[in-house]
Amino acid sequence: MIGPSSGTGSVPERELPDNQSRASKKRIFEDLDIESICEEVQNVRKRYQYQEEIEAPMEVVSSHQGMGDTVALFSPLSAQEAVEECPVARLEVLLVDGTNCTWTTVSELEHQQNIVDMAASPSTSSSSSSEHKQEQVIHEVQVEETSYPINSDYWEPVVTVPPSNIQQSKTDVPPSSSHQQQQFDDQETGNLSWLLDFKLDPFIEAADEKSTVPSYKDVHSGNKTRVNGRSYGYTYVNDVKRSYNENGSSHLESSHSYSSLDNRNFVSSRCNGPKKPPFTYTELIEHALREKGELTVSAIYQWISEHFPYYKSNDDRWKNSVRHNLSINPHFRKGSKAPHGAGHLWAIANRSGDPRPRQIINNFNANSTLKQMNKNTVEVENVRKNISQMNSIDEVEAATASITQQSSEEEAENIVNSVTLEHCAEEILSGIKKEVEVQYLVPMMVSSNEHESTQSNQQTQGLHYPVKESDFLNPVSKEVVAEECGLISEGYLVTDLNPTTLGLNMVEPEIITPENLFGEELSFQFYELSSPSQTQSA
DNA sequence: TGGTGTTTACTGCTTG
DNA sequence: CAAGCAGTAAACACCA
C-alpha cells in the first residue's frame, strides 16, 4: 500500500500540526523529482493491472483490525478508536499547476488524468489542448502498513510486499498487448486500485538524499537512524527477508517497512543480527509487566531478551537503561521484595494506588489526564500562575499552599472534586523533583476575633472565608512542630512571630531586644506556654 | 562480589 | 533556539 517508508525519521502525518504538515509537504514537493513521479505512477499502474490479470494479489498482512490491535497494545485507545485515528486507506493528492497547489481526491485525480490523456491524444489535439499544463502529482502518504506482532512470542518486523514490488522482483516480463489493452481499458473505466499500492518512498528517499548532506556523525554512527529521538538500527533497505507473523508462521516479505505503532519506521537490513525494536524501554517494560503482572528486574530482562533478540542478555548497557527507566518512571511501582533472590517486584503503578509522585507521565496517560482535567483547566492555570509567582518560596510549599487555597475555596462551597483536584495537584507537582504527598485538609473555622485579625491577610491572598493558613498547611499540631523545631524549651517559646497568630496559647511575652541579648538584626520575643484556661481568663 | 536501585550528566533528536 | 524526551553511561549505595 502507500506509505512514506523512507526510514529517515518520518513523523506520522496525523501527529503533525497543520502548518508543520504543510511545510513538510512543501519541502517534499520542492525536493521531489516530479517527472519521475509521473513516470512511476504510470509504470506502477500498468504493472499492477498486469499483475491483477495474471496472478492473485499478494496477501496484505496488515489490515485495519490488525493495525488497530497492534496500536492498542500500548495505547489506551481501543482498537476501533485506534483504527479511526489511523485511517489505513485514506489518500489525498496534491495537484500542482504552476504555482497553484490544490488538494483533491482520487476520483478528482482520475478526472484530471483523463483530461491529460485526451490532451495527449493526436485526435484530440487542438489549440485549447495546448493550454493544458502537465499536472504534477504528489501523493501525500497517510497510509502506514506494518505489523508489529509484539504480542507474539517472538518479535521481528513484519512488513508487506506491495504488488508493485512483487511485480518487480518476480518478473520483468512486460505485459502482453492484450494486457496492455486491458490496463488501458481499466484506466478508462476508472479502476484506480493500482494507485493504492503506489509507493512514494523511492522519490522521498531520493529527495532526502538530495536535500540532506550526511554529517560527520551520521557517517560515523554506523548508519543509525533515529526516529523521534530514538535509534532504530540501520538504514532502510529493500531486502527480502523472512520473519514471523502473529500466528508464528513465516512469510516472505520485503523490508520496506511502514510504520504502524506511532509510525515508527524501524529497519530490517542486510546487516546480520537482530534489529532494534521500535519501542522505548518504557513500553517494553510496560508490556512485560502487563503480561506477567509483577516481575523482578531480572525477569524483566529475561522477558525482553526472549521477545526481542536485539537485547542480548549478556549486554549490560540496555539493562542499565531498563533499571534507569524503572527508577525514574513513576509509571512503574516498586513492590515488595522478591521472594527469591535479590531485588524487588515491579509492577505497573495504578493511577489511584500509585504512592509515588508522577514526575514523568507518558503520552497516553498525559492525554487522558488532560482530558479528565478539562473541566478544571482554569483552576489549573490559576494554580500554575500562583506557583510561578512564588519563585521565592520553596516549590513544594508554594504548590501546597496554592493547592490548599484552591481546595479550601471549593470546600467552602461544598463543590470540591477531590479526584480532579488531586490530579491537578499531581500534575503540578509532577514538575517538582521532590517526594511530595498531596493532602486535603479541611480548613478549621476560627473565632470571630481571630477571623478579624486574619481577615485582612486572607483578603490580600484572595481568601474569602475565615481560615487560618497555619491551620491546614500542616496536619501536625503546632505544639509538636514548635517542639520538634527546638523552639519550645522548658515551657518557653522563642520566636519572632506572634504566637497568637500561630494559634498557640501564650501569656505576655518578654521582649528580647538586640540590646539585651542578641545581635542587631534579631528581635525575638519570649513567650511562656500557658493552658487554654489561662488564655481565656487573660 | 554481583545484582539491584537511585541519581546525575550528557548526547541527540523532535517540537513549539 | 530552548525545552522536553529517550537513550546511554557512570557513580554510588545497599544488600544477600
Side-chain angles (χ1 to χ4, degrees):
Chain A
M1 295 179 68
I2 305 174
S5 54
S6 66
T8 55
S10 60
V11 176
E13 194 71 31
R14 59 189 176 92
E15 292 183 358
L16 291 175
D18 190 55
N19 55 350
Q20 188 173 353
S21 171
R22 295 293 178 182
S24 176
K25 293 166 189 169
K26 181 181 178 182
R27 187 190 67 80
I28 293 175
F29 160 67
E30 291 173 348
D31 293 335
L32 287 176
D33 185 346
I34 301 302
E35 291 182 1
S36 299
I37 292 178
C38 295
E39 183 179 356
E40 183 66 13
V41 166
Q42 291 294 333
N43 292 337
V44 169
R45 181 176 186 173
K46 293 172 185 176
R47 286 197 299 267
Y48 181 73
Q49 289 168 340
Y50 169 67
Q51 178 197 333
E52 267 190 329
E53 193 71 19
I54 64 175
E55 59 182 315
M58 287 293 295
E59 177 187 2
V60 178
V61 174
S62 291
S63 64
H64 286 227
Q65 183 60 43
M67 184 174 174
D69 289 341
T70 305
V71 173
L73 284 175
F74 293 119
S75 171
L77 298 175
S78 65
Q80 182 175 357
E81 289 172 330
V83 169
E84 291 171 357
E85 289 277 324
C86 311
V88 176
R90 181 163 151 245
L91 176 65
E92 294 179 20
V93 179
L94 178 62
L95 292 179
V96 182
D97 183 5
T99 57
N100 297 325
C101 302
T102 305
W103 289 97
T104 184
T105 62
V106 172
S107 59
E108 185 67 22
L109 173 67
E110 170 72 4
H111 176 66
Q112 298 290 344
Q113 181 66 41
N114 291 336
I115 295 176
V116 172
D117 291 342
M118 292 176 62
S121 170
S123 61
T124 57
S125 64
S126 64
S127 58
S128 62
S129 66
S130 64
E131 296 175 0
H132 288 290
K133 298 178 181 179
Q134 179 66 39
E135 290 172 318
Q136 301 167 325
V137 180
I138 295 177
H139 302 259
E140 181 208 2
V141 186
Q142 295 203 351
V143 180
E144 273 66 14
E145 178 191 350
T146 297
S147 250
Y148 289 124
I150 190 172
N151 52 345
S152 63
D153 291 335
Y154 182 82
W155 182 90
E156 272 200 22
V158 173
V159 285
T160 59
V161 184
S164 60
N165 285 23
I166 293 299
Q167 179 65 34
Q168 278 184 297
S169 60
K170 285 191 172 183
T171 177
D172 291 326
V173 177
S176 64
S177 58
S178 61
H179 291 144
Q180 290 175 348
Q181 182 62 42
Q182 177 65 39
Q183 76 190 24
F184 289 116
D185 290 344
D186 288 343
Q187 288 179 20
E188 297 305 318
T189 57
N191 182 357
L192 286 179
S193 56
W194 61 273
L195 192 55
L196 294 175
D197 290 314
F198 176 71
K199 292 179 64 57
L200 193 62
D201 309 296
F203 303 103
I204 295 178
E205 284 187 300
D208 287 341
E209 289 174 0
K210 284 200 317 182
S211 60
T212 60
V213 178
S215 64
Y216 176 87
K217 289 181 179 179
D218 292 334
V219 173
H220 293 79
S221 62
N223 280 337
K224 264 191 169 182
T225 59
R226 293 179 74 90
V227 177
N228 292 335
R230 300 162 200 153
S231 175
Y232 291 141
Y234 296 89
T235 50
Y236 167 95
V237 294
N238 291 337
D239 274 347
V240 174
K241 66 185 293 297
R242 183 176 295 273
S243 76
Y244 302 86
N245 62 13
E246 300 179 28
N247 298 325
S249 60
S250 62
H251 57 89
L252 273 178
E253 62 192 15
S254 160
S255 70
H256 278 284
S257 58
Y258 308 91
S259 57
S260 67
L261 184 64
D262 291 353
N263 191 29
R264 294 169 206 175
N265 297 326
F266 78 100
V267 190
S268 59
S269 73
R270 297 187 184 91
C271 303
N272 294 329
K275 277 66 61 179
K276 185 172 186 177
F279 308 115
T280 64
Y281 287 115
T282 299
E283 290 167 333
L284 295 175
I285 297 168
E286 176 178 354
H287 194 70
L289 295 178
R290 286 197 187 283
E291 181 177 311
K292 299 292 184 181
E294 288 187 330
L295 290 175
T296 62
V297 171
S298 59
I300 294 175
Y301 296 158
Q302 186 177 1
W303 188 94
I304 294 177
S305 60
E306 283 178 354
H307 289 73
F308 302 92
Y310 174 85
Y311 298 103
K312 302 295 183 184
S313 297
N314 56 359
D315 185 2
D316 289 338
R317 292 178 302 173
W318 70 271
K319 292 180 179 178
N320 189 12
S321 295
V322 168
R323 294 197 307 271
H324 168 75
N325 270 267
L326 284 170
S327 291
I328 69 168
N329 197 330
H331 193 49
F332 306 121
R333 174 179 52 84
K334 185 174 70 177
S336 59
K337 300 212 70 174
H340 306 293
H344 296 76
L345 291 172
W346 291 85
I348 304 292
N350 294 328
R351 172 140 201 92
S352 58
D354 183 9
R356 303 196 302 172
R358 285 173 174 75
Q359 296 177 6
I360 299 174
I361 298 177
N362 65 34
N363 294 334
F364 302 138
N365 286 344
N367 290 336
S368 60
T369 302
L370 289 176
K371 288 177 182 177
Q372 291 177 345
M373 294 166 58
N374 194 29
K375 291 181 178 179
N376 294 49
T377 302
V378 177
E379 299 166 3
V380 174
E381 283 305 311
N382 290 337
V383 176
R384 291 185 193 276
K385 289 177 182 177
N386 287 341
I387 290 182
S388 64
Q389 293 170 356
M390 294 182 181
N391 292 332
S392 60
I393 311 176
D394 178 84
E395 289 177 283
V396 179
E397 183 179 351
T400 306
S402 298
I403 294 162
T404 308
Q405 168 185 334
Q406 191 70 34
S407 63
S408 300
E409 287 179 347
E410 304 216 13
E411 178 70 22
E413 299 177 5
N414 282 332
I415 57 172
V416 169
N417 185 339
S418 61
V419 176
T420 50
L421 276 176
E422 182 181 1
H423 290 172
C424 295
E426 288 178 347
E427 284 289 314
I428 296 161
L429 295 174
S430 65
I432 300 173
K433 294 180 178 180
K434 292 182 180 179
E435 291 285 341
V436 294
E437 180 181 4
V438 179
Q439 294 183 347
Y440 294 96
L441 305 174
V442 179
M444 294 173 55
M445 306 302 290
V446 298
S447 66
S448 58
N449 290 340
E450 289 175 335
H451 178 203
E452 291 174 1
S453 64
T454 58
Q455 192 173 29
S456 59
N457 185 34
Q458 293 163 0
Q459 286 176 346
T460 59
Q461 301 182 27
L463 303 178
H464 307 291
Y465 47 89
V467 171
K468 294 195 302 178
E469 292 174 59
S470 57
D471 287 333
F472 54 85
L473 277 177
N474 196 329
V476 184
S477 71
K478 299 171 249 342
E479 286 78 5
V480 171
V481 172
E483 186 171 2
E484 289 183 349
C485 293
L487 297 176
I488 294 178
S489 177
E490 295 180 356
Y492 290 92
L493 171 65
V494 179
T495 179
D496 59 344
L497 301 174
N498 188 337
T500 303
T501 61
L502 299 176
L504 296 174
N505 298 321
M506 297 291 174
V507 296
E508 289 299 322
E510 174 187 348
I511 298 177
I512 304 173
T513 63
E515 289 75 16
N516 61 10
L517 186 57
F518 296 113
E520 296 179 353
E521 298 183 359
L522 292 175
S523 179
F524 286 105
Q525 302 182 53
F526 214 48
Y527 293 92
E528 181 180 4
L529 291 174
S530 62
S531 66
S533 59
Q534 285 178 301
T535 306
Q536 288 178 353
S537 62

